[in-house]
Amino acid sequence: MLRLLILLCACATAFGALPKGWKACSKSDPKFSDCLSKEIEKAIKSLVKGDKSLGVMPLDPLRINKIGLSKGRGPVSMELSLEDADVHGISMLQVKDTKTDWKTMNVKVTVPKIVVLSNYKVDGKVLILPITGQGKGNLTLDDLSLNIESKWNRIKKGNTEYFNMESLTVPLEPKRLYIRLENLFNGDKVLGENMNKFLNQNWGVLLDELREPVSEALSAVFIQIANQVLNKIPASEIDK
């Protein structure tokens, strides 16, 4: 979710018609990257409650209706769906560095804590143990580092060109993942508590298996939303 927010705010801070309190960054400024990093962070924090004029939904918490993961391979093989997910913690992010040539953008971000609260359904296995259940879930990522890369092209509508996001990638690199799934095994408290303990003891294995499908699922949502906004802003207003 952070990837979308950073791209939208980068676009907004690059053109002249800015919301109140935002500052445009000039490419001719030798400190352009520092300026852009600072203004991206400022813009994201100013949009915590959303902005209808920009088509930006509330950012903290950020609501994602559904994320579906197919069965994986290897140590973790399970079907997992998260519905009505609220993502908390985006307002605390820090943008460390930004580089762009308006074809590729690289942004380095840190976030102290991201908490994802959702309804979940799971069925499959983790290592040698089966897992099944549905209920309330909590995924917490501590000290998250994001090295975000997005690639853009241009599309033409009539005589006007617009930026279009082609791809968005980011390896999730938290220092710790905490997991809490309520109502595992049809509410069996002993089995549920043991499985939650097992998941948290083996969080690294779980993260390794889920990192790619989670990133792909979120990217699909963010690319769609980002292009809804980008296709409203002429490229000439961004790339000056």
Side-chain angles (χ1 to χ4, degrees), residues 2-12 40 105 150 152 165 168 226-227 230:
L2 299 182
R3 292 158 285 181
L4 165 67
L5 308 180
I6 288 165
L7 179 63
L8 296 184
C9 292
C11 292
I40 289 173
M105 179 177 289
S150 60
W152 308 0
M165 187 195 296
L168 198 62
N227 283 333
L230 288 171

Side-chain angles (χ1 to χ4, degrees), residues 5-240:
L5 308 180
I6 288 165
L7 179 63
L8 296 184
C9 292
C11 292
T13 55
F15 66 87
L18 299 176
K20 185 177 180 180
W22 293 17
K23 173 186 173 183
C25 298
S26 171
K27 288 193 298 184
S28 62
D29 185 342
K31 295 185 177 180
F32 172 72
S33 292
D34 291 340
C35 174
L36 195 55
S37 296
K38 178 181 177 181
E39 293 306 315
I40 289 173
E41 182 177 320
K42 183 192 303 182
I44 290 174
K45 292 183 177 181
S46 75
L47 291 173
V48 167
K49 295 183 179 180
D51 189 320
K52 291 183 179 180
S53 67
L54 293 176
V56 178
M57 65 184 74
L59 307 187
D60 201 347
L62 177 68
R63 169 58 63 97
I64 299 177
N65 293 330
K66 186 174 182 178
I67 302 171
L69 305 176
S70 298
K71 273 193 174 181
R73 296 172 293 179
V76 177
S77 177
M78 64 185 182
E79 291 183 355
L80 172 66
S81 67
L82 306 178
E83 297 185 356
D84 299 327
D86 287 325
V87 182
H88 300 259
I90 292 171
S91 61
M92 301 301 293
L93 94 171
Q94 294 182 313
V95 180
K96 299 297 185 179
D97 187 47
T98 305
K99 290 181 172 57
T100 184
D101 59 4
W102 302 120
K103 293 180 181 179
T104 301
M105 179 177 289
N106 297 93
V107 185
K108 293 183 179 180
V109 175
T110 60
V111 190
K113 187 187 296 288
I114 288 290
V115 179
V116 183
L117 304 177
S118 71
N119 298 314
Y120 81 91
K121 291 182 181 180
V122 65
D123 183 51
K125 69 174 184 177
V126 179
L127 297 177
I128 61 173
L129 298 182
I131 181 171
T132 183
Q134 64 181 73
K136 298 293 183 181
N138 180 329
L139 302 179
T140 298
L141 301 167
D142 273 0
D143 293 327
L144 186 63
S145 296
L146 302 172
N147 291 319
I148 300 164
E149 180 177 302
S150 60
K151 294 185 182 298
W152 308 0
N153 61 12
R154 297 190 186 212
I155 60 175
K156 203 164 187 178
K157 294 182 180 180
N159 294 322
T160 305
E161 284 190 336
Y162 297 86
F163 280 114
N164 186 74
M165 187 195 296
E166 285 187 306
S167 65
L168 198 62
T169 59
V170 54
L172 299 175
E173 298 296 343
K175 288 187 177 178
R176 185 68 163 87
L177 168 65
Y178 295 94
I179 307 155
R180 179 73 186 177
L181 302 177
E182 303 291 344
N183 200 46
L184 286 167
F185 306 106
N186 294 317
D188 187 306
K189 291 186 178 180
V190 174
L191 289 177
E193 286 301 321
N194 285 335
M195 176 53 71
N196 274 297
K197 183 178 179 180
F198 180 77
L199 292 174
N200 283 284
Q201 288 174 339
N202 294 278
W203 69 270
V205 174
L206 187 63
L207 179 65
D208 286 343
E209 296 295 326
L210 295 181
R211 182 183 282 113
E212 184 175 349
V214 168
S215 179
E216 289 178 353
L218 293 176
S219 292
V221 176
F222 296 151
I223 288 172
Q224 180 182 4
I225 298 173
N227 283 333
Q228 288 176 351
V229 176
L230 288 171
N231 292 169
K232 297 176 184 177
I233 305 171
S236 59
E237 290 297 314
I238 297 175
D239 186 13
K240 289 188 174 182

